Amino acid sequence: MWKYLRFGYIHWIWSSFLVTGLLAGGPWTWTGVAFLFIFGVGGEIVTKNWRDETNPEYRFPIIHDLIIYSVVACHFFVLFVALWAVSSVDLLGYGAFVNSYLSAIGIEHNVLVAKDANGLISLIGIGISLGALLGVSGTGSCHELTHRVNSPFDLWLGRWDFALSFGTNFATEHVYGHHKNLGLVGRDPVSPKRGTGFYTFLTDGQLEQWRNGFGIEKTRLEAAGKNSLSIHNRVIHAWLRGGLVISLVFLASGWIGFGIWFISALVSKYILEGLNFFSHYGLIRLDGEPITSRNTFSSCNPVGNYFTFNLGRHGTHHESAHLPHYKFQWKPMPESPYGYITMTLISWIPFWFWKEMIPMLRDWDEKWATQAELEIISEHNRESGIEQLMT
């Protein structure tokens, strides 16, 4: 049973801790952030030399589906409790319900009093804690579900889960753009060229991702004889979903609720793009070459993969994007020195990023690149201005 539950238990515990912190109020609102750093980053560092190279068989895939559905439900519930915690009223009588339950089991704590006592630092903790959950757990579940293009319910659920953090372009550009253009520098904005810094990627790369997403829909709709700016545009659908979430947030908790949600959306995006940045950094693919597991950096760290629904097996995901997360196979692939959560954090810190990335790139050039690719890579290395890559 563990081979199934390993992809759910972390998300359930994290969500429970976060909700408990929101109900406790004060500094406890930072519980969600603390959980990510202690059990996510800390867990990956402690297990740095642990490797999950298993490829188990699953007789009951429905269990995996129920687990990921339950995780999405957790995201919606945590967002509700976060909005309750900053609302000027007791949303849906939730605080009164919790107080009556706590009283029944002998715990003397008034969650409504704790909620009203939250100051600015506590409110910021709510936003960042929610963003941490949506950025890691949410990215993992949304990534998995929006790839299930042949399952209308899963696709619908994944897109709504992404709407919680205003992820309005991923389900189109990532699935139909990035997976087609991986490693084609200049065509895939999520395959940053060597020498590109994270904060350039975070700004210029974002604009390019948006252009690509709209371009994909424009091509699709014009081929069908439809207006690219019509309601048939899936990117517009995503904006409308995000707009509805914002409207409900504002109705529930006003400007404070919107501010908290906005912080969470920024944190979530920051995490997602850090992951995108390092996992595809500096790797190329020649036009016409098949995508294989060598075209991205992967990780065999079990803790990180449980947090992200096996996203660390990124190479085999790109090789067989139609497969669900529990079927991502282990095989020899280019690897990062830390798990995906820690590498995402490292991506934000330039000096640390280069310390880890330069050896990764040199290793890829030596062990994984073809001779034709090396000719292009040598040019990219010169243009990067990174001395260690030019020797």
Side-chain angles (χ1 to χ4, degrees), residues 22-84:
L22 294 175
L23 294 174
W28 294 106
T29 62
W30 290 83
T31 299
V33 182
F35 187 93
L36 176 60
F37 277 87
I38 294 171
F39 295 100
V41 176
E44 285 186 339
I45 292 174
V46 169
T47 63
K48 184 175 185 291
N49 296 320
W50 294 13
R51 299 177 61 82
D52 177 14
E53 298 179 358
T54 62
N55 292 315
E57 296 290 329
Y58 298 99
R59 294 178 57 196
F60 306 105
I62 184 63
I63 296 177
H64 283 295
D65 293 338
L66 293 175
I67 285 172
I68 201 167
Y69 297 159
S70 73
V71 170
V72 173
C74 286
H75 299 157
F76 278 85
F77 180 64
V78 171
L79 174 60
F80 165 75
V81 178
L83 295 177
W84 167 85

Side-chain angles (χ1 to χ4, degrees), residues 15 29 45 53 58 167 233 260 281 310 342 378 387:
S15 298
T29 62
I45 292 174
E53 298 179 358
Y58 298 99
N233 188 309
I260 295 305
Y281 191 86
N310 242 3
T342 306
S378 62
E387 186 175 339

Side-chain angles (χ1 to χ4, degrees), residues 58-292:
Y58 298 99
R59 294 178 57 196
F60 306 105
I62 184 63
I63 296 177
H64 283 295
D65 293 338
L66 293 175
I67 285 172
I68 201 167
Y69 297 159
S70 73
V71 170
V72 173
C74 286
H75 299 157
F76 278 85
F77 180 64
V78 171
L79 174 60
F80 165 75
V81 178
L83 295 177
W84 167 85
V86 300
S87 175
S88 60
V89 299
D90 182 16
L91 285 177
L92 302 182
Y94 179 68
F97 168 78
V98 172
N99 279 340
S100 64
Y101 175 77
L102 293 177
S103 177
I105 62 175
I107 297 177
E108 294 187 8
H109 173 73
N110 190 316
V111 298
L112 292 172
V113 171
K115 176 173 90 77
D116 292 339
N118 283 331
L120 178 61
I121 300 300
S122 299
L123 296 180
I124 293 173
I126 294 173
I128 296 179
S129 287
L130 177 62
L133 180 75
L134 296 180
V136 177
S137 176
T139 290
S141 60
C142 297
H143 175 268
E144 168 66 19
L145 293 171
T146 54
H147 266 288
R148 298 184 180 185
V149 294
N150 294 320
S151 175
F153 174 75
D154 290 0
L155 191 59
W156 174 84
L157 189 62
R159 288 172 171 172
W160 273 107
D161 198 12
F162 248 133
L164 299 185
S165 56
F166 210 72
T168 51
N169 188 50
F170 186 94
T172 299
E173 203 288 323
H174 175 88
V175 176
Y176 300 103
H178 170 58
H179 270 263
K180 175 184 177 183
N181 297 319
L182 174 70
L184 302 180
V185 177
R187 283 166 56 182
D188 178 24
V190 190
S191 294
K193 189 176 179 180
R194 299 183 184 201
T196 303
F198 173 67
Y199 295 95
T200 298
F201 173 81
L202 187 64
T203 52
D204 296 352
Q206 286 303 296
L207 294 175
E208 189 61 31
Q209 286 183 57
W210 281 111
R211 283 193 290 267
N212 279 16
F214 273 101
I216 289 167
E217 283 301 275
K218 183 174 185 293
T219 300
R220 182 182 72 88
L221 290 171
E222 288 180 353
K226 298 177 180 177
N227 191 315
S228 62
L229 296 178
S230 69
I231 194 61
H232 301 288
N233 188 309
R234 292 176 296 196
V235 174
I236 293 177
H237 291 177
W239 276 83
L240 292 174
R241 282 191 295 270
L244 179 59
V245 168
I246 292 173
S247 298
L248 292 175
V249 164
F250 186 80
L251 286 174
S253 303
W255 285 110
I256 295 178
F258 172 78
I260 295 305
W261 172 86
F262 188 69
I263 290 172
S264 75
L266 290 178
V267 170
S268 175
K269 189 65 173 174
Y270 199 60
I271 292 171
L272 170 60
E273 296 308 331
L275 188 155
N276 272 333
F277 183 66
F278 88 82
S279 61
H280 308 106
Y281 191 86
L283 305 185
I284 69 167
R285 180 173 61 91
L286 301 184
D287 205 356
E289 281 186 344
I291 294 174
T292 68

